[in-house]
Amino acid sequence: MNNTQTNTELRSNDAAAAQNLDLLDAVTPEQVSDAIKAAGAAVTTVEQDGVVRLHSASHGIGFQVLWGNPVTTTQYTDFTLSCPLHVQGGTLPEAVLASWHRTKRFARVAQHGDFVVLEMDVVVAGGVAPAYLAFAMRLWMQMMGEFFLHLRNYGPAAETRGDAANAEAGAAVQGVAAAA
């Protein structure tokens, strides 16, 4: 058998298989809403200024979908899942956020005044399988749970180490956990 012919046939079969897959290269609010529901959460849809906004919750804490690059007025190539949390008593010490970023890779945390925001980007540009959206939602909900656990566990661990700065961080984190 000729290797060139075999490789050409394989590439042709791969290309045909890829065309048969219904890949998404943009998503609608309805598709994202369905993926959130498939991950086990309820979704509230609100239309504001002609744009559909999605709100949901996981672990008893609300989050929202922030649309990224539009393809049309109802299709987007990416979006951000965002969970803003109010910090009681001010801001979190940088050590809390730095610790999260050192140990986690899918979701980021940013401080905005007296709010800390957990965010995760989801990109569909280039084509993804519909199952990827449901996976991304489950991953987001897992990241939310891990972040809340990170906040709850940060203070007590710091206090047992005897680090005064981290003990102060623990007190601020307890305020966020209570607010969450």
Side-chain angles (χ1 to χ4, degrees), residues 48-73:
Q48 183 179 20
D49 299 326
V51 177
V52 174
R53 311 259 184 219
L54 300 179
H55 298 272
S56 187
S58 180
H59 304 278
I61 307 296
F63 69 89
Q64 58 196 349
V65 176
L66 305 174
W67 302 114
N69 295 297
V71 175
T72 68
T73 57

Side-chain angles (χ1 to χ4, degrees), residues 87-97 99 147-179:
V87 179
Q88 294 177 346
T91 61
L92 289 177
E94 283 296 318
V96 176
L97 306 181
S99 174
F147 182 63
F148 303 145
L149 187 62
H150 176 77
L151 291 176
R152 287 184 187 103
N153 290 339
Y154 191 83
E159 290 175 34
T160 60
R161 288 192 303 263
D163 184 338
N166 285 335
E168 289 175 16
V173 168
Q174 295 304 320
V176 170

Side-chain angles (χ1 to χ4, degrees), residues 74-105:
T74 60
Q75 291 184 311
Y76 303 89
T77 58
D78 61 297
F79 57 91
T80 300
L81 299 162
S82 178
C83 176
L85 301 168
H86 183 259
V87 179
Q88 294 177 346
T91 61
L92 289 177
E94 283 296 318
V96 176
L97 306 181
S99 174
W100 171 262
H101 289 246
R102 273 193 310 275
T103 60
K104 304 297 177 190
R105 60 183 285 193

Side-chain angles (χ1 to χ4, degrees), residues 14-27 31 75 124-133:
D14 288 345
Q19 287 178 350
N20 288 336
L21 291 176
D22 291 327
L23 296 180
L24 304 170
D25 59 359
V27 291
Q31 290 169 312
Q75 291 184 311
V124 298
V128 299
Y132 172 76
L133 283 181

